[in-house]
Amino acid sequence: MFIRVWQSAKTYKPDAKFTTWLYRVTANLCFNELKSSRRKKWFSFNRSDQDGKRTLEETLADRAPSAEDHLLERERSRQISNALQSLPDNQRMALVLKRYDGLSYAEIARILNCSVSAVESLLVRAKRTLQEKLENFEK
């Protein structure tokens, strides 16, 4: 990615925020990767560190969850991950940028190269779709 940022440096215009431009470069790379490889697994919602081992905090917790709780949490994580990955690329990107990166609608609009109202629409549709897909799991 850093090579792409370096190669794209000539396109940066100082009148825009650098972070917005950087997110746009990153978003384009992600979209290109999705298109070229057809991979849909962007991220995983598990409670493990990078090596797959439980974190120290989880190991030392006083309230150790039961085996049933672990299974339910794993299934819930799998359901959420599947639901997120079933979203269209723009909806998923808008949701990730808002929820996990904490960006404003205006920043997301610049990154996705669309209007603020389009971002609002993308987020509403993404949330509605996620609710529909996850409502059976909550029951």
Side-chain angles (χ1 to χ4, degrees), residues 23-24 27 31 89-91 93-95 97 107-115 119 122:
Y23 273 115
R24 183 72 236 161
F31 285 137
D89 295 341
N90 280 348
Q91 288 181 21
M93 180 69 80
L95 189 67
L97 291 172
E107 290 172 316
I108 295 170
R110 284 191 296 268
I111 292 166
L112 296 180
N113 200 25
C114 62
S115 67
V119 170
L122 287 170

Side-chain angles (χ1 to χ4, degrees), residues 1 9-10 24 33-34 48 52 64 67 77 82-83 113 115 125:
M1 182 182 95
K10 60 185 170 277
R24 183 72 236 161
E33 179 64 22
L34 280 173
S48 303
S77 294
N82 287 344
N113 200 25
S115 67
R125 284 182 294 182

Side-chain angles (χ1 to χ4, degrees), residues 12-133:
Y12 174 67
K13 296 176 184 163
D15 56 324
K17 284 178 65 177
F18 176 76
T19 53
T20 301
W21 174 80
L22 183 62
Y23 273 115
R24 183 72 236 161
V25 171
T26 304
N28 286 340
L29 282 171
C30 291
F31 285 137
N32 291 342
E33 179 64 22
L34 280 173
K35 288 176 187 175
S36 67
S37 67
R38 300 290 183 216
R39 281 185 277 168
K40 294 290 182 181
K41 300 216 180 224
W42 275 22
F43 42 84
S44 173
F45 289 91
N46 60 26
R47 307 183 100 216
S48 303
D49 63 10
Q50 292 176 353
D51 298 325
K53 299 176 184 172
R54 288 178 33 174
T55 62
L56 180 62
E57 181 181 335
E58 291 172 336
T59 304
L60 298 177
D62 290 338
R63 292 174 268 133
S66 67
E68 180 182 8
D69 291 337
H70 279 296
L71 287 174
L72 287 172
E73 181 62 28
R74 283 179 52 189
E75 178 60 18
R76 182 173 181 265
S77 294
R78 188 183 69 73
Q79 291 284 339
I80 291 170
S81 182
N82 287 344
L84 282 169
Q85 298 194 31
S86 71
L87 293 174
D89 295 341
N90 280 348
Q91 288 181 21
R92 183 174 48 243
M93 180 69 80
L95 189 67
V96 168
L97 291 172
K98 179 65 179 161
R99 173 81 167 110
Y100 298 102
D101 291 335
L103 299 181
S104 70
Y105 287 8
E107 290 172 316
I108 295 170
R110 284 191 296 268
I111 292 166
L112 296 180
N113 200 25
C114 62
S115 67
V116 172
S117 61
V119 170
E120 292 171 353
S121 178
L122 287 170
L123 290 171
V124 166
R125 284 182 294 182
K127 289 175 186 177
R128 186 180 317 127
T129 301
L130 289 176
Q131 284 175 337
E132 290 170 2
K133 290 184 180 280

